[in-house]
Amino acid sequence: GDSVTQTEGLVTLTEGLPVMLNCTYQSTYSPFLFWYVQHLNEAPKLLLKSFTDNKRPEHQGFHATLHKSSSSFHLQKSSAQLSDSALYYCALSSNTNKVVFGTGTRLQVLP
Amino acid sequence: ETAVFQTPNYHVTQVGNEVSFNCKQTLGHDTMYWYKQDSKKLLKIMFSYNNKQLIVNETVPRRFSPQSSDKAHLNLRIKSVEPEDSAVYLCASSRDWGDTQYFGPGTRLLVL
């Protein structure tokens, strides 16, 4: 069945350092992949969505590349900001009526 | 700008009571979802409706039931709540099934 794996529960790093949050998936069909971000006491909201034409989506300095060969959609940013501290969910949707969220990775950026 | 509205924000009740949560979206989307977010922040889809038809119904307890009057509204009813139902219930909508989802602010349920 479809699944999403986020291996890190908590990532702590210092402001200005690069960010990489891991996301791998399993799906029978070619799914869409998403990154959602949830700040404290807020609702989740879309950060990035994969494209069908292998373009790399970018938003607010974050980017992610869909690698079908390794079934990955890792989230990256070159320089972390304090305001990036939040909970990040990787998710997929497939044409088999499946929507699956990963367990989430909490990013904590320290000054 | 909020486009997915949920009421109430917070609800405290006792074991065995019935509760209903409301959700309305003003985006003109065709699909709506209900999620449960537990204390560990795990996000689990419970139901989704596409044009008033239930298309995904995860193995949730039978005391949970979705109720929809039109494609802009999807309510959640829980008959006879139990302590493990304490969580945040998030409503979301998307233009089409599996597309980008827009979440409401959530309803926090506490069962005593």
Side-chain angles (χ1 to χ4, degrees):
Chain A
D2 298 297
S3 66
V4 174
T5 301
Q6 294 180 251
T7 52
E8 309 115 336
L10 172 66
V11 171
T12 301
L13 47 78
T14 304
E15 185 180 18
L17 291 180
V19 178
M20 181 161 161
L21 305 184
N22 293 320
C23 174
T24 57
Y25 65 92
Q26 285 189 324
S27 182
T28 305
Y29 301 95
S30 294
F32 281 107
L33 272 294
F34 303 81
W35 276 101
Y36 288 88
V37 59
Q38 186 177 25
H39 288 93
L40 190 62
N41 296 324
E42 294 183 8
K45 59 184 178 183
L46 179 74
L47 182 60
L48 293 172
K49 175 185 175 183
S50 64
F51 289 112
T52 55
D53 57 0
N54 295 323
K55 288 183 181 175
R56 189 179 81 169
E58 296 191 30
H59 184 64
Q60 297 179 341
F62 285 95
H63 60 90
T65 302
L66 180 62
H67 289 289
K68 294 182 181 179
S69 59
S70 57
S71 298
S72 67
F73 191 59
H74 303 320
L75 182 67
Q76 295 178 275
K77 187 176 183 181
S78 59
S79 176
Q81 299 177 288
L82 294 175
S83 57
D84 294 332
S85 295
L87 183 59
Y88 292 80
Y89 291 101
C90 184
L92 72 76
S93 69
S94 71
N95 57 7
T96 57
N97 289 345
K98 282 287 187 181
V99 172
V100 180
F101 277 74
T103 51
T105 296
R106 182 169 300 282
L107 176 63
Q108 186 177 46
V109 182
L110 303 176
Chain B
E1 182 182 351
T2 303
V4 181
F5 303 90
Q6 291 186 240
T7 56
N9 294 328
Y10 190 67
H11 188 77
V12 182
T13 190
Q14 293 186 327
V15 171
N17 286 348
E18 177 176 316
V19 299
S20 283
F21 303 147
N22 299 316
C23 180
K24 170 188 172 182
Q25 55 95 2
T26 59
L27 295 166
H29 287 167
D30 284 340
T31 309
M32 295 184 72
Y33 312 79
W34 274 104
Y35 289 87
K36 179 181 180 181
Q37 186 175 41
D38 63 20
S39 58
K40 296 182 179 179
K41 300 299 184 182
L42 293 177
L43 202 56
K44 291 287 180 67
I45 188 168
M46 301 180 72
F47 303 102
S48 66
Y49 256 71
N50 183 286
N51 282 327
K52 293 180 63 178
Q53 290 193 344
L54 184 67
I55 58 172
V56 173
N57 188 350
E58 297 296 317
T59 54
V60 298
R62 295 177 66 179
R63 60 182 180 277
F64 289 84
S65 60
Q67 299 171 317
S68 178
S69 56
D70 55 57
K71 71 175 188 178
H73 297 82
L74 183 64
N75 300 330
L76 179 67
R77 186 178 79 158
I78 314 174
K79 285 177 63 175
S80 189
V81 294
E82 297 187 6
E84 59 264 32
D85 298 338
S86 295
V88 175
Y89 291 87
L90 291 162
C91 176
S93 72
S94 64
R95 185 179 55 185
D96 200 354
W97 207 96
D99 206 344
T100 300
Q101 294 183 45
Y102 295 81
F103 286 83
T107 294
R108 183 177 296 275
L109 173 66
L110 179 61
V111 180
L112 301 176

